[in-house]
Short mmCIF file of all heavy atoms in Angstrom, two decimals:
data_model
loop_
_atom_site.label_atom_id
_atom_site.label_comp_id
_atom_site.label_asym_id
_atom_site.label_seq_id
_atom_site.Cartn_x
_atom_site.Cartn_y
_atom_site.Cartn_z
N GLY A 579 150.13 216.48 328.63
CA GLY A 579 150.08 217.82 328.45
C GLY A 579 149.82 218.04 326.86
O GLY A 579 149.09 219.05 326.48
N SER A 580 150.48 217.26 326.13
CA SER A 580 150.27 217.36 324.57
C SER A 580 148.81 217.05 324.33
O SER A 580 148.18 217.84 323.44
CB SER A 580 151.13 216.38 323.84
OG SER A 580 152.58 216.77 324.09
N SER A 581 148.28 216.06 324.92
CA SER A 581 146.82 215.70 324.67
C SER A 581 145.98 216.82 325.11
O SER A 581 144.90 217.10 324.53
CB SER A 581 146.55 214.28 325.42
OG SER A 581 147.20 213.25 324.82
N LEU A 582 146.36 217.35 326.32
CA LEU A 582 145.36 218.46 326.80
C LEU A 582 145.42 219.67 325.81
O LEU A 582 144.40 220.18 325.68
CB LEU A 582 145.99 218.91 328.20
CG LEU A 582 145.36 220.05 328.93
CD1 LEU A 582 143.85 219.63 329.18
CD2 LEU A 582 145.98 220.37 330.09
N LEU A 583 146.71 219.93 325.26
CA LEU A 583 146.57 221.06 324.32
C LEU A 583 145.80 220.82 323.10
O LEU A 583 144.98 221.63 322.58
CB LEU A 583 148.09 221.31 323.90
CG LEU A 583 148.95 222.01 324.87
CD1 LEU A 583 150.32 222.30 324.54
CD2 LEU A 583 148.31 223.43 325.37
N MET A 584 146.01 219.54 322.60
CA MET A 584 145.15 219.12 321.31
C MET A 584 143.65 219.01 321.84
O MET A 584 142.74 219.47 321.02
CB MET A 584 145.55 217.79 320.94
CG MET A 584 146.87 217.82 320.15
SD MET A 584 147.48 216.34 319.50
CE MET A 584 148.20 215.52 320.85
N ASN A 585 143.34 218.57 323.00
CA ASN A 585 141.94 218.52 323.50
C ASN A 585 141.35 219.90 323.66
O ASN A 585 140.27 220.18 323.20
CB ASN A 585 141.94 217.79 324.88
CG ASN A 585 140.58 217.53 325.34
OD1 ASN A 585 139.65 217.56 324.80
ND2 ASN A 585 140.74 216.95 326.68
N TYR A 586 142.22 220.78 324.16
CA TYR A 586 141.65 222.20 324.34
C TYR A 586 141.36 222.78 322.99
O TYR A 586 140.28 223.38 322.84
CB TYR A 586 142.89 223.00 324.95
CG TYR A 586 142.69 224.48 325.24
CD1 TYR A 586 141.85 224.93 326.22
CD2 TYR A 586 143.00 225.54 324.18
CE1 TYR A 586 141.58 226.29 326.38
CE2 TYR A 586 142.75 226.84 324.36
CZ TYR A 586 142.11 227.28 325.45
OH TYR A 586 141.80 228.48 325.71
N GLY A 587 142.27 222.64 322.01
CA GLY A 587 141.99 223.13 320.69
C GLY A 587 140.75 222.59 320.00
O GLY A 587 139.96 223.27 319.41
N LEU A 588 140.68 221.16 320.13
CA LEU A 588 139.57 220.54 319.49
C LEU A 588 138.24 220.91 320.23
O LEU A 588 137.17 221.05 319.56
CB LEU A 588 139.78 219.07 319.52
CG LEU A 588 140.79 218.39 318.59
CD1 LEU A 588 141.12 217.04 318.88
CD2 LEU A 588 140.40 218.56 317.14
N LEU A 589 138.30 220.99 321.58
CA LEU A 589 137.01 221.30 322.26
C LEU A 589 136.55 222.74 321.87
O LEU A 589 135.41 223.01 321.64
CB LEU A 589 137.28 221.39 323.79
CG LEU A 589 136.84 220.15 324.58
CD1 LEU A 589 137.20 220.33 326.09
CD2 LEU A 589 135.37 219.73 324.46
N HIS A 590 137.50 223.79 321.71
CA HIS A 590 137.17 225.05 321.19
C HIS A 590 136.60 224.99 319.87
O HIS A 590 135.52 225.69 319.50
CB HIS A 590 138.28 225.97 321.38
CG HIS A 590 138.51 226.76 322.58
ND1 HIS A 590 137.49 227.49 323.12
CD2 HIS A 590 139.54 226.65 323.54
CE1 HIS A 590 137.83 228.01 324.27
NE2 HIS A 590 139.11 227.50 324.55
N LEU A 591 137.20 224.14 318.97
CA LEU A 591 136.67 224.01 317.56
C LEU A 591 135.37 223.44 317.56
O LEU A 591 134.35 223.99 317.04
CB LEU A 591 137.69 223.20 316.88
CG LEU A 591 137.29 222.84 315.38
CD1 LEU A 591 137.43 224.15 314.48
CD2 LEU A 591 138.24 221.81 314.81
N LEU A 592 135.17 222.22 318.20
CA LEU A 592 133.87 221.62 318.17
C LEU A 592 132.79 222.25 318.93
O LEU A 592 131.66 222.32 318.43
CB LEU A 592 134.03 220.04 318.70
CG LEU A 592 135.00 219.27 317.84
CD1 LEU A 592 135.19 217.84 318.52
CD2 LEU A 592 134.51 219.08 316.53
N VAL A 593 133.10 222.79 320.10
CA VAL A 593 132.02 223.42 320.88
C VAL A 593 131.88 224.81 320.60
O VAL A 593 130.80 225.45 320.33
CB VAL A 593 132.34 223.07 322.47
CG1 VAL A 593 131.24 223.77 323.31
CG2 VAL A 593 132.35 221.61 322.70
N GLY A 594 133.02 225.56 320.75
CA GLY A 594 133.01 227.01 320.57
C GLY A 594 132.73 227.47 319.16
O GLY A 594 132.15 228.28 318.96
N TYR A 595 133.28 226.72 318.18
CA TYR A 595 133.08 227.25 316.67
C TYR A 595 131.96 226.55 316.05
O TYR A 595 131.09 227.14 315.50
CB TYR A 595 134.43 226.89 315.99
CG TYR A 595 134.45 227.44 314.61
CD1 TYR A 595 134.49 228.83 314.30
CD2 TYR A 595 134.30 226.58 313.48
CE1 TYR A 595 134.50 229.29 312.98
CE2 TYR A 595 134.31 226.95 312.18
CZ TYR A 595 134.33 228.29 311.96
OH TYR A 595 134.28 228.82 310.57
N PHE A 596 131.89 225.23 316.12
CA PHE A 596 130.83 224.43 315.50
C PHE A 596 129.63 224.32 316.19
O PHE A 596 128.60 224.01 315.73
CB PHE A 596 131.32 222.98 315.04
CG PHE A 596 132.33 222.99 313.99
CD1 PHE A 596 133.56 222.47 314.21
CD2 PHE A 596 132.10 223.49 312.70
CE1 PHE A 596 134.60 222.36 313.17
CE2 PHE A 596 133.08 223.50 311.64
CZ PHE A 596 134.34 223.00 311.90
N GLY A 597 129.59 224.67 317.51
CA GLY A 597 128.47 224.66 318.36
C GLY A 597 127.96 223.33 318.70
O GLY A 597 126.74 223.19 319.04
N LEU A 598 128.74 222.24 318.70
CA LEU A 598 128.29 221.00 319.06
C LEU A 598 128.26 220.79 320.71
O LEU A 598 128.76 221.69 321.37
CB LEU A 598 129.31 219.84 318.60
CG LEU A 598 129.55 219.81 317.07
CD1 LEU A 598 130.72 218.92 316.65
CD2 LEU A 598 128.28 219.48 316.34
N TRP A 599 127.59 219.86 321.13
CA TRP A 599 127.46 219.51 322.51
C TRP A 599 128.76 219.17 323.07
O TRP A 599 129.58 218.53 322.53
CB TRP A 599 126.42 218.53 322.80
CG TRP A 599 125.03 218.88 322.52
CD1 TRP A 599 124.45 220.16 322.28
CD2 TRP A 599 123.84 217.93 322.42
NE1 TRP A 599 123.10 220.04 322.03
CE2 TRP A 599 122.71 218.83 321.92
CE3 TRP A 599 123.63 216.52 322.45
CZ2 TRP A 599 121.46 218.18 321.77
CZ3 TRP A 599 122.50 216.05 322.18
CH2 TRP A 599 121.32 216.93 321.94
N ALA A 600 128.88 219.76 324.33
CA ALA A 600 130.16 219.46 325.03
C ALA A 600 130.66 218.08 325.30
O ALA A 600 131.66 217.58 324.95
CB ALA A 600 130.31 220.37 326.26
N THR A 601 129.71 217.40 325.99
CA THR A 601 130.02 215.99 326.32
C THR A 601 130.25 215.04 325.21
O THR A 601 131.21 214.29 325.19
CB THR A 601 128.93 215.38 327.29
OG1 THR A 601 128.81 216.32 328.48
CG2 THR A 601 129.29 214.11 327.81
N PRO A 602 129.43 214.93 324.12
CA PRO A 602 129.72 214.09 323.01
C PRO A 602 131.02 214.58 322.25
O PRO A 602 131.81 213.74 321.81
CB PRO A 602 128.60 214.34 322.14
CG PRO A 602 127.50 214.73 322.94
CD PRO A 602 128.09 215.52 324.02
N SER A 603 131.33 215.83 322.31
CA SER A 603 132.52 216.28 321.65
C SER A 603 133.75 215.69 322.46
O SER A 603 134.80 215.30 321.84
CB SER A 603 132.53 217.92 321.74
OG SER A 603 131.60 218.34 320.78
N GLN A 604 133.67 215.97 323.78
CA GLN A 604 134.80 215.35 324.65
C GLN A 604 134.87 213.78 324.44
O GLN A 604 136.12 213.27 324.42
CB GLN A 604 134.46 215.69 326.15
CG GLN A 604 135.46 215.19 327.11
CD GLN A 604 136.91 215.95 326.88
OE1 GLN A 604 137.00 216.90 326.22
NE2 GLN A 604 137.92 215.37 327.48
N ALA A 605 133.79 213.19 324.26
CA ALA A 605 133.94 211.57 324.14
C ALA A 605 134.61 211.37 322.84
O ALA A 605 135.54 210.51 322.85
CB ALA A 605 132.48 211.00 324.00
N PHE A 606 134.39 212.09 321.77
CA PHE A 606 134.99 211.92 320.54
C PHE A 606 136.54 212.28 320.60
O PHE A 606 137.43 211.48 320.03
CB PHE A 606 134.34 212.80 319.43
CG PHE A 606 135.03 212.86 318.14
CD1 PHE A 606 135.05 211.78 317.28
CD2 PHE A 606 135.87 214.00 317.78
CE1 PHE A 606 135.76 211.81 315.94
CE2 PHE A 606 136.51 214.03 316.52
CZ PHE A 606 136.35 212.93 315.67
N ILE A 607 136.89 213.35 321.24
CA ILE A 607 138.22 213.60 321.45
C ILE A 607 138.97 212.71 322.22
O ILE A 607 140.10 212.37 321.96
CB ILE A 607 138.33 215.12 322.09
CG1 ILE A 607 137.82 216.19 321.12
CG2 ILE A 607 139.74 215.43 322.54
CD1 ILE A 607 137.62 217.52 321.79
N ILE A 608 138.34 211.93 323.32
CA ILE A 608 138.99 210.98 324.00
C ILE A 608 139.50 209.87 323.15
O ILE A 608 140.55 209.25 323.33
CB ILE A 608 138.10 210.53 325.18
CG1 ILE A 608 138.00 211.58 326.30
CG2 ILE A 608 138.54 209.16 325.76
CD1 ILE A 608 136.99 211.33 327.35
N VAL A 609 138.57 209.43 322.12
CA VAL A 609 138.96 208.28 321.35
C VAL A 609 140.22 208.74 320.45
O VAL A 609 141.14 207.88 320.34
CB VAL A 609 137.79 208.06 320.41
CG1 VAL A 609 138.21 206.99 319.26
CG2 VAL A 609 136.60 207.44 321.29
#
């Protein structure tokens, strides 16, 4: 759950704000 919240925030930051591609952003967050 904690990871999901951090993942959610980071996905919004990387994809929604910075406009990066979703799948590479998710891969980075997984690491």
Side-chain angles (χ1 to χ4, degrees):
S580 299
S581 294
L582 181 61
L583 289 175
M584 289 185 274
N585 193 2
Y586 178 83
L588 288 170
L589 264 176
H590 272 300
L591 178 69
L592 297 176
V593 178
Y595 183 74
F596 290 122
L598 300 176
W599 290 344
T601 303
S603 296
Q604 180 65 12
F606 173 73
I607 293 167
I608 286 171
V609 171

